[in-house]
Amino acid sequence: MNTKSCLNCGHSISDEFCPHCGQKADTARITPYSLIKNDILGSIWHVEAKFFQTLKDIIIRPGKTAMDYISGKRIRYNNFISLLLILFGFNVLGLHFYEKFAPQEDVAEFSDLRAFFSKYSKTILFIIIPVLGINAYFLFKRLKLNIAEHFIIATVSLLGILIIFLLDDIVSLIGLWKPVSGIFNIIDKIIFGLFILFPAITYWNAFKNLYSKSGLLWRVSVLYVLMGIESFTIIIILYKIF
């Protein structure tokens, strides 16, 4: 077996990475070619590929993505909390551009409501995680997942909602730029339906092989009822404060 010393810590290496510090074994002198190929293009491709792969998995198979992450299969995914903050920032930016380019009468019509949700959007969105997580912890207790693991599933559900919101922002902006009679209203309604259904899709996708269809259906239904009551109560309290 060929071994060599790690250029970073001096330990012996016989594999692709140093077992002591984790640096790659093929680290060599930097050349113009290696700088462009590995450090610039390689880094950009790695970050972008991982980012978009995570988004795709959250939309296509949210429950399985959450369960894979919980089970330890994490290297293919971006950190969910970091992704949450990034997507939230994109949504704020999307809303800003919509308000900037939308006709003033459309913006003014919902000015009070927009002001309320603009002020408390972080609270409202991030309250979804504990609301979903705690309710699901009791409804799906047979699975023996702890509260933190249920919070991961709830986080993936919120990530999906934020992706859908972002798509809605893009559709709204395109509709302002190039309005087509009726089509953007239809797309907007489809996106709104996905937003409402996404938590159900997440839990169904996560637990469809662990419960019967009827058992999963009533649990998800109760989850929605509880989530609706609790979210409505929180929004009313915040609105009274506002």
Side-chain angles (χ1 to χ4, degrees):
M1 182 182 295
N2 293 325
T3 61
K4 57 183 178 179
S5 296
C6 173
L7 297 178
N8 181 58
C9 66
H11 277 67
S12 296
I13 305 175
S14 59
D15 211 334
E16 187 178 356
F17 295 92
C18 173
H20 181 71
C21 70
Q23 179 165 284
K24 291 188 72 172
D26 62 354
T27 303
R29 185 176 181 182
I30 297 172
T31 64
Y33 174 78
S34 70
L35 179 66
I36 295 171
K37 179 177 180 292
N38 299 326
D39 293 84
I40 298 176
L41 296 179
S43 297
I44 293 171
W45 169 251
H46 175 72
V47 171
E48 287 188 350
K50 196 171 185 178
F51 178 78
F52 288 111
Q53 179 67 48
T54 305
L55 296 188
K56 186 191 83 172
D57 284 350
I58 287 170
I59 286 295
I60 294 176
R61 46 176 204 165
K64 183 160 190 320
T65 297
M67 295 303 284
D68 281 350
Y69 194 89
I70 289 168
S71 68
K73 300 174 183 177
R74 298 170 191 168
I75 193 158
R76 66 179 289 169
Y77 302 121
N78 276 105
N79 179 275
F80 290 157
I81 303 302
S82 298
L83 195 59
L84 205 61
L85 298 174
I86 292 169
L87 288 176
F88 185 79
F90 281 148
N91 274 274
V92 170
L93 197 62
L95 179 61
H96 167 75
F97 279 114
Y98 178 80
E99 290 180 339
K100 182 177 181 180
F101 295 114
Q104 288 304 306
E105 58 270 20
D106 291 352
V107 176
E109 185 179 355
F110 301 104
S111 59
D112 290 342
L113 192 61
R114 286 182 185 278
F116 168 73
F117 279 103
S118 177
K119 183 174 182 179
Y120 292 108
S121 56
K122 289 181 182 178
T123 305
I124 292 167
L125 285 173
F126 283 95
I127 209 73
I128 293 174
I129 295 176
V131 166
L132 271 176
I134 293 169
N135 291 334
Y137 174 76
F138 291 104
L139 286 169
F140 300 98
K141 202 161 187 177
R142 179 164 64 84
L143 299 179
K144 305 295 184 185
L145 295 175
N146 63 44
I147 191 69
E149 291 167 331
H150 276 289
F151 276 23
I152 290 295
I153 301 172
T155 300
V156 170
S157 185
L158 178 55
L159 283 168
I161 290 171
L162 290 175
I163 294 169
I164 292 166
F165 275 163
L166 189 57
L167 290 174
D168 189 51
D169 290 340
I170 293 169
V171 169
S172 298
L173 286 168
I174 294 172
L176 292 174
W177 172 61
K178 192 175 182 181
V180 178
S181 178
I183 189 166
F184 285 103
N185 286 332
I186 294 171
I187 294 173
D188 196 56
K189 287 174 181 174
I190 292 171
I191 291 174
F192 180 75
L194 285 173
F195 153 66
I196 296 296
L197 290 174
F198 199 81
I201 294 169
T202 301
Y203 284 94
W204 193 276
N205 185 240
F207 302 142
K208 63 183 178 180
N209 297 323
L210 303 171
Y211 285 93
S212 65
K213 288 183 179 179
S214 59
L216 192 51
L217 183 61
W218 79 256
R219 284 175 172 84
V220 170
S221 299
V222 172
L223 183 67
Y224 264 70
V225 171
L226 292 173
M227 186 172 64
I229 294 170
E230 292 158 354
S231 299
F232 182 74
T233 303
I234 291 166
I235 290 172
I236 290 297
I237 291 171
L238 290 174
Y239 195 78
K240 291 292 184 183
I241 295 172
F242 177 72

